[in-house]
Amino acid sequence: MYLHKFLIIAVLMGASLANAQQSRFGAPATQEDIDKSFWTVFPDGEFLPDGEGNVAAGRELFEYNCTLCHNMPGENDPVKDEIGKLFGVDDKRGRTNLQQTIGSYWPYPTTVFDYIRRAMPLIAPMSLTNSDYYSLTAYLLYENGVIGEDEIMNKDTLPKVQMPNRDGFINAYPEVPEKYKAKD
Amino acid sequence: MKNTSLTNGNRRQFMKAGMATSAALLSSSALAQETVLEPSRGPGRTVMEMGYYGERSEYVKDARLKGNRGTGLIGGSLTPLQHGHGIVTPSGLHFEVHHSGVPDIDPSEHKLLIHGMVDDAKIFTMEDLLRFPSVNRFHFLECAGNGMGEWMAPRGQTVQQTHGLTSCSQWTGVPLKIVLNELGVKTDAKWILAEGDDGARMTRSIPMWKAMDDAILAYAQNGEFLRPEQGFPLRLLLPGFEGNMNVKWLRRLEIGDKPWWTHHEDTEYADPRPNDKIRAFSFYMEGRSVITSPSAGMKLNGPGFYEISGLAWSGAGTVKKVDISTDSGKTWQQANLEAPVLPKSHTRFKMPWTWDGKETNIMSRSTDDTGYVQPTYEEMYKLQGPIGMMHNNAIQNWHIAQDGEITNVRL
């Protein structure tokens, strides 16, 4: 009799264990929830938003929104250079240059857009429109000698921009390094 | 009895007099005593005066050292390793680095969104996350830039300045793989993007194999909820990986099939290498050790016995041994590793030492269970190039002068 009861309990437990992979907690996320938390842009341009911008508009936006902390091209305020030097490093390869400017170091142009949209201006991030951020991206790329003054930046053109240091990168651990594989 | 006159105004004498009087009230035989016992302190602070959260003694002054770049929003603090004991860093002394200040987040409003290449995208409240089975793990964190200023030449005046961007805590949280398995990760998903809820919406790409290995969604540190500087109410913990990837104030995990090359992956946390190359996705903080006492800024008080004590750690595994040289690197002796010796955790090592009063140099060298041996600066330069910023894990030398003064000197 007792054994019989125990078996029933064991069967019930077995059933719930089989279901353990089912999602227990949390609410389903709607597409709206997901869209609100904008997707991060991939180097191939996936998830770049609509809108477009140009260098002239970017220059104006930069002067108004960014020069509290960053130098304009040609300016040399040392405090602003320490916060973040955005232009004026001639060395196009990163190795001998610890300044790591967009033109000398960054391997992908999409990162410029994604980063300044999420983080800049530092005191009011995400306060501009996607087109504004495309313009600022165009301006930063132009002043770093990466694109021409007339180039328009949008979700089609931006991923195609060739960065000077694109081939300078190697990946340390593309796959699980053997010595770090979990031992069980 | 000695003079018990109150007129000399000496408080100690007054206490003695008081003691004698009250003793007399209790027992007349006390008067017959020839010597007076050292008086007790008498009553201390009352329960009413106690705070509801305990504070350390006013005599203990160990403090973080703050640093910032320009605005004060980008910056952080260093742990005073020279005063540490054991392997746990007090939460209030844990190092920190921020990229847009420390946000103030109400945990009842905080949510974690997990979406992308999963069957069920979901939003979790803190309450949801606290219902999952949890784990407690001791792990160190180390900023990839720990010792950045030491690359070219020794500059730090204390071990706090040279090595203070590492700390160790017991972390509590949900293993990330439990949550991911429930959501059904697509088979070709290879990477996860972690995003913080700070002003910079800090993001890093994390390989799926790490998420499915030992990653933790951590909400507690050293037995209490996280400190705001450590990501309250939720942070990602990637044991052994560079600090920056352990995204704080975690608000979103996006599952994808390739890395995103976020700002930090493109620049600050990508390492210049020899041959004109830059190494991205360095991930691991490799084996390292440092003698924390005696260390630079301290002074030995004459020849005699000293206990050499320090910390060793490895992001790839467990510390296997630590060798110490007290004769400028000529000979090495194995230090004692003090239990617990845990994977991807600070490990305390100690060695008794008698200083003969002569000028010398002391240093430590760790080996982990993958066989990795901590390099000298020369060896590190060969591998990483002479200019670098991140992942400095070279052997640290402390110079001891004849007068006992200890300084940061490279041999």
Side-chain angles (χ1 to χ4, degrees):
Chain A
M1 184 61 197
Y2 268 102
L3 186 66
H4 183 67
K5 251 191 193 161
F6 179 76
L7 278 176
I8 291 175
I9 291 167
V11 167
L12 286 174
M13 277 178 66
S16 69
L17 277 179
N19 281 339
Q21 290 302 92
Q22 247 174 32
S23 190
R24 287 176 280 189
F25 314 115
T30 63
Q31 194 55 44
E32 202 194 334
D33 293 325
I34 296 168
D35 290 345
K36 221 167 38 190
S37 246
F38 66 86
W39 296 53
T40 312
V41 176
F42 279 105
D44 62 7
E46 196 181 351
F47 301 123
L48 272 171
D50 293 339
E52 64 177 26
N54 61 68
V55 175
R59 183 180 288 115
E60 230 169 85
L61 284 161
F62 188 84
E63 207 167 345
Y64 187 72
N65 292 288
C66 318
T67 51
L68 177 67
C69 306
H70 298 290
N71 283 320
M72 288 290 282
E75 283 180 358
N76 297 303
D77 180 339
V79 175
K80 292 184 184 179
D81 266 355
E82 203 193 313
I83 290 174
K85 190 170 165 67
L86 304 183
F87 322 96
V89 173
D90 291 332
D91 183 357
K92 293 287 180 244
R93 303 303 297 242
R95 195 167 97 74
T96 53
N97 152 39
L98 293 179
Q99 289 291 351
Q100 307 183 341
T101 49
I102 292 166
S104 68
Y105 212 91
W106 300 34
Y108 295 104
T110 46
T111 309
V112 182
F113 179 90
D114 184 81
Y115 176 64
I116 64 172
R117 181 171 65 157
R118 70 176 52 249
M120 296 294 148
L122 193 67
I123 34 174
M126 296 195 281
S127 58
L128 307 173
T129 66
N130 285 333
S131 290
D132 289 345
Y133 284 113
Y134 275 120
S135 288
L136 284 161
T137 303
Y139 174 68
L140 291 172
L141 290 171
Y142 167 70
E143 287 293 354
N144 274 276
V146 182
I147 63 168
E149 195 163 9
D150 300 329
E151 288 185 55
I152 302 290
M153 287 296 117
N154 57 35
K155 65 179 176 192
D156 299 320
T157 55
L158 180 62
K160 297 200 185 89
V161 171
Q162 273 300 312
M163 300 298 277
N165 197 31
R166 171 67 191 87
D167 298 328
F169 276 74
I170 46 173
N171 291 356
Y173 300 109
E175 294 300 332
V176 192
E178 196 56 43
K179 71 174 180 175
Y180 299 132
K181 268 191 183 144
K183 300 162 197 114
D184 41 19
Chain B
M1 291 219 65
K2 290 189 189 143
N3 174 20
T4 56
S5 156
L6 297 180
T7 53
N8 68 11
N10 181 317
R11 181 176 137 82
R12 204 174 155 78
Q13 298 265 359
F14 170 78
M15 297 266 293
K16 278 187 183 174
M19 284 291 290
T21 315
S22 53
L25 288 174
L26 289 174
S27 148
S28 57
S29 72
L31 283 174
Q33 254 179 254
E34 276 302 305
T35 51
V36 174
L37 297 174
E38 188 68 21
S40 124
R41 270 180 201 291
R45 203 166 51 199
T46 64
V47 170
M48 282 78 89
E49 289 166 294
M50 280 180 202
Y52 284 93
Y53 191 88
E55 279 178 30
R56 63 184 180 173
S57 161
E58 61 174 305
Y59 303 103
V60 178
K61 305 285 187 205
D62 302 348
R64 298 179 292 191
L65 196 64
K66 296 196 276 183
N68 88 83
R69 231 168 72 202
T71 56
L73 288 173
I74 318 294
S77 70
L78 301 118
T79 297
L81 297 175
Q82 65 273 33
H83 301 132
H85 301 282
I87 59 168
V88 172
T89 309
S91 302
L93 295 176
H94 198 290
F95 87 89
E96 53 189 305
V97 178
H98 318 301
H99 290 273
S100 189
V102 179
D104 177 7
I105 299 175
D106 176 348
S108 68
E109 277 162 25
H110 189 71
K111 293 194 173 76
L112 173 67
L113 167 66
I114 306 183
H115 69 115
M117 297 173 72
V118 285
D119 295 334
D120 300 314
K122 274 204 156 179
I123 294 179
F124 297 93
T125 61
M126 287 308 297
E127 218 171 296
D128 293 329
L129 293 172
L130 281 155
R131 288 186 64 190
F132 279 96
S134 62
V135 291
N136 291 306
R137 299 270 156 74
F138 286 92
H139 287 304
F140 76 89
L141 279 177
E142 184 178 21
C143 176
N146 194 18
M148 189 195 258
E150 300 289 304
W151 264 94
M152 321 285 198
R155 298 202 308 195
Q157 287 164 11
T158 64
V159 69
Q160 183 168 18
Q161 287 167 358
T162 59
H163 290 73
L165 289 176
T166 183
S167 306
C168 185
S169 297
Q170 188 189 40
W171 304 94
T172 308
V174 192
L176 178 55
K177 66 174 167 224
I178 293 185
V179 179
L180 291 180
N181 280 336
E182 289 196 3
L183 300 189
V185 175
K186 308 265 192 224
T187 45
D188 43 357
K190 290 280 181 300
W191 290 82
I192 300 186
L193 181 93
E195 183 179 72
D197 201 4
D198 56 340
R201 286 276 159 94
M202 241 275 319
T203 44
R204 285 297 300 258
S205 308
I206 289 135
M208 186 60 79
W209 53 262
K210 182 63 176 177
M212 290 302 193
D213 181 12
D214 56 358
I216 300 170
L217 296 172
Y219 44 75
Q221 173 189 13
N222 298 331
E224 60 183 354
F225 283 106
L226 298 172
R227 294 291 168 103
E229 302 94 319
Q230 293 307 320
F232 182 81
L234 186 69
R235 83 173 302 165
L236 187 62
L237 203 82
L238 302 174
F241 275 24
E242 55 187 32
N244 183 258
M245 298 180 73
N246 295 254
V247 174
K248 298 186 281 192
W249 314 292
L250 188 68
R251 72 184 286 271
R252 191 167 71 95
L253 291 172
E254 183 177 331
I255 319 296
D257 57 357
K258 48 193 179 285
W260 285 261
W261 290 90
T262 69
H263 171 239
H264 290 286
E265 287 151 17
D266 272 23
T267 59
E268 276 173 273
Y269 296 89
D271 314 318
R273 301 260 109 179
N275 315 320
D276 226 12
K277 291 292 180 195
I278 295 160
R279 184 179 74 170
F281 305 118
S282 298
F283 299 158
Y284 283 92
M285 299 312 295
E286 304 218 75
R288 191 174 190 183
S289 71
V290 66
I291 295 171
T292 54
S293 178
S295 61
M298 297 180 184
K299 191 173 178 183
L300 298 184
N301 189 16
F305 174 82
Y306 292 92
E307 181 177 65
I308 293 180
S309 172
L311 292 169
W313 60 96
S314 166
T318 308
V319 175
K320 192 82 182 288
K321 70 174 178 132
V322 175
D323 298 307
I324 291 179
S325 174
T326 56
D327 57 5
S328 310
K330 286 198 256 332
T331 63
W332 296 81
Q333 283 164 276
Q334 213 166 310
N336 303 315
L337 300 186
E338 206 176 58
V341 178
L342 300 166
K344 303 168 190 176
S345 164
H346 278 177
T347 297
R348 176 65 64 176
F349 64 83
K350 288 179 177 169
M351 193 183 87
W353 176 51
T354 303
W355 184 43
D356 59 10
K358 296 201 186 87
E359 180 187 354
T360 190
N361 291 277
I362 61 172
M363 61 195 88
S364 65
R365 179 183 64 202
S366 67
T367 305
D368 72 17
D369 62 352
T370 69
Y372 181 87
V373 181
Q374 185 182 7
T376 61
Y377 267 94
E378 281 311 306
E379 287 161 346
M380 191 180 71
Y381 289 153
K382 259 185 232 136
L383 194 71
Q384 307 211 46
I387 64 156
M389 303 221 299
M390 302 299 181
H391 297 274
N392 174 358
N393 67 334
I395 291 171
Q396 172 68 50
N397 179 60
W398 303 128
H399 176 261
I400 299 177
Q402 207 155 2
D403 64 359
E405 205 85 55
I406 308 173
T407 46
N408 177 13
V409 169
R410 189 121 349 131
L411 287 186

